[in-house]
Amino acid sequence: MSNSSSITQFLLLPFTDTRELQLLHFWLFLGIYLAALLGNGLIITTIAWDQHLHTPMYFFLLNLALLDLGSISTIVPKSMANSLWDTRAISYTGCATQLFLFVFLASAEFYLLTIMSYDRYVAICKPLHYGTLLGSRACVHMAAAAWATGFLNALLHTANTFSLPLCKGNALGQFFCEIPQILKLSCSHSYLRELGLIVVSVLVLFVCFTFILFSYVQILRAVLRIPSEQGRHKAFSTCLPHLAMVSLLISTGMFAYLKPPSISSPTLDLVVSVLYSVVPPAVNPLIYSMRNQELKGLVWKLITGHFQ
């Protein structure tokens, strides 16, 4: 960090320079953040409380809610505070911490989504083997592997990114500390090493996405053989939103990290980053949980104080 050792803070990109619009951004992000806190918090509380939900599917759902809460809490409150107090600054240490936590939680979430697709595939396509393939110990090991892999991925990217010499100022073209924006400040060809690591990570995520796609194709093929039209409709209405959210997550994430500088612009970068970093944690509770009648009923009992 020879030339970057003098940097004590970074300047984040404001959503707007107009004070009224800054406050509008604050209230908008506050609403999204509170919705994410409420949705994921209710899922965590309900699953942890009710013994009937201590099954592999809900165990993975609990982990997903924890990851969503962590990832949105890593970036949104700081952005809200900057808009409220009309500032752009984030400390060097704060930026490194934010980048590490976000990459850790976002990576672990995608690995977990891959495991969740496998869980649904086994449950629907190989129900007789479900207890054998997804016992309690296997579920804990798979979830732990997702968290550990995300941690190692974040450690590699953070160490690589913040070891680069930075000599092109300290202004980031993003509302949080994002790897591509920090790489733009590098004045050395060493950034190619981190680009290579990004390509490898993206390829791994694409393999995960291919596995998710394969799992859902097999699930939908099995669903088409269901004689009940109501059963088919329920399965389709559950699987397709899952697949749509995973597709949004990987497409926007890949675009943000692999797009050429020639098509980069502050507005485009901002929209894409919101789509892959803010939208999923807020929408996942609706897609993965609130369409589940059993969980909805238990959440309602919890809210109304009739939880047994």
Side-chain angles (χ1 to χ4, degrees), residues 13 172-175 178 181 184 255-256 259-273:
L13 179 71
L172 301 178
Q174 192 54 271
F175 72 96
E178 188 183 52
Q181 301 299 328
K184 290 179 180 180
F255 182 78
K259 70 180 183 301
S262 58
I263 62 172
S264 182
S265 72
T267 303
L268 178 63
D269 293 348
L270 206 57
V271 171
V272 170
S273 64

Side-chain angles (χ1 to χ4, degrees), residues 33-263:
Y33 185 55
L34 290 178
L37 287 180
L38 179 62
N40 289 292
L42 284 173
I43 290 168
I44 293 168
T45 305
T46 305
I47 294 174
W49 198 315
D50 193 270
Q51 296 290 330
H52 298 96
L53 299 183
H54 292 179
T55 63
M57 182 180 76
Y58 291 110
F59 171 72
F60 294 134
L61 195 55
L62 172 68
N63 279 267
L64 180 66
L66 288 170
L67 289 168
D68 278 336
L69 266 184
S71 64
I72 198 168
S73 297
T74 298
I75 60 173
V76 168
K78 177 59 179 174
S79 179
M80 288 164 49
N82 282 3
S83 288
L84 184 62
W85 303 114
D86 193 18
T87 181
R88 298 175 55 190
I90 183 171
S91 69
Y92 187 92
T93 305
C95 185
T97 303
Q98 187 183 69
L99 187 147
F100 170 79
L101 288 175
F102 181 74
V103 174
F104 164 39
L105 296 165
S107 301
E109 177 167 333
F110 205 85
Y111 300 138
L112 185 70
L113 290 172
T114 307
I115 295 169
M116 291 174 70
S117 71
Y118 174 70
D119 168 69
R120 291 299 84 205
Y121 164 74
V122 175
I124 294 174
C125 300
K126 298 181 182 293
L128 297 179
H129 301 284
Y130 190 77
T132 305
L133 296 174
L134 286 153
S136 57
R137 181 175 295 183
C139 291
V140 170
H141 287 168
M142 285 190 285
W147 286 81
T149 308
F151 180 86
L152 290 175
N153 187 45
L155 197 61
L156 282 172
H157 282 292
T158 306
N160 230 356
T161 301
F162 283 90
S163 66
L164 296 173
L166 308 177
C167 62
K168 295 182 181 178
N170 65 340
L172 301 178
Q174 192 54 271
F175 72 96
F176 66 99
C177 290
E178 188 183 52
I179 292 174
Q181 301 299 328
I182 297 175
L183 295 184
K184 290 179 180 180
L185 304 180
S186 175
C187 51
S188 163
H189 289 297
S190 301
Y191 77 92
L192 294 175
R193 183 179 59 201
E194 173 58 20
L195 280 180
L197 190 57
I198 288 174
V199 171
V200 171
S201 297
V202 169
L203 287 175
V204 171
L205 292 179
F206 186 75
V207 170
C208 290
F209 176 69
T210 304
F211 180 84
I212 292 172
L213 192 61
F214 171 79
S215 298
Y216 278 112
V217 166
Q218 296 303 310
I219 289 170
L220 293 175
R221 286 179 62 187
V223 165
L224 289 174
R225 294 195 291 268
I226 297 176
S228 165
E229 184 177 345
Q230 184 179 1
R232 288 199 302 270
H233 175 74
K234 181 181 178 182
F236 273 111
S237 66
T238 301
C239 292
L240 292 180
H242 292 190
L243 195 55
M245 183 51 61
V246 173
S247 301
L248 173 70
L249 187 61
I250 192 168
S251 61
T252 52
M254 287 177 65
F255 182 78
Y257 280 76
L258 298 179
K259 70 180 183 301
S262 58
I263 62 172

Side-chain angles (χ1 to χ4, degrees), residues 12-26:
L12 299 175
L13 179 71
F15 274 78
T16 176
D17 293 323
T18 307
R19 187 58 186 151
E20 290 75 12
L21 294 178
Q22 285 179 342
L23 294 176
L24 177 63
H25 159 248
F26 168 79

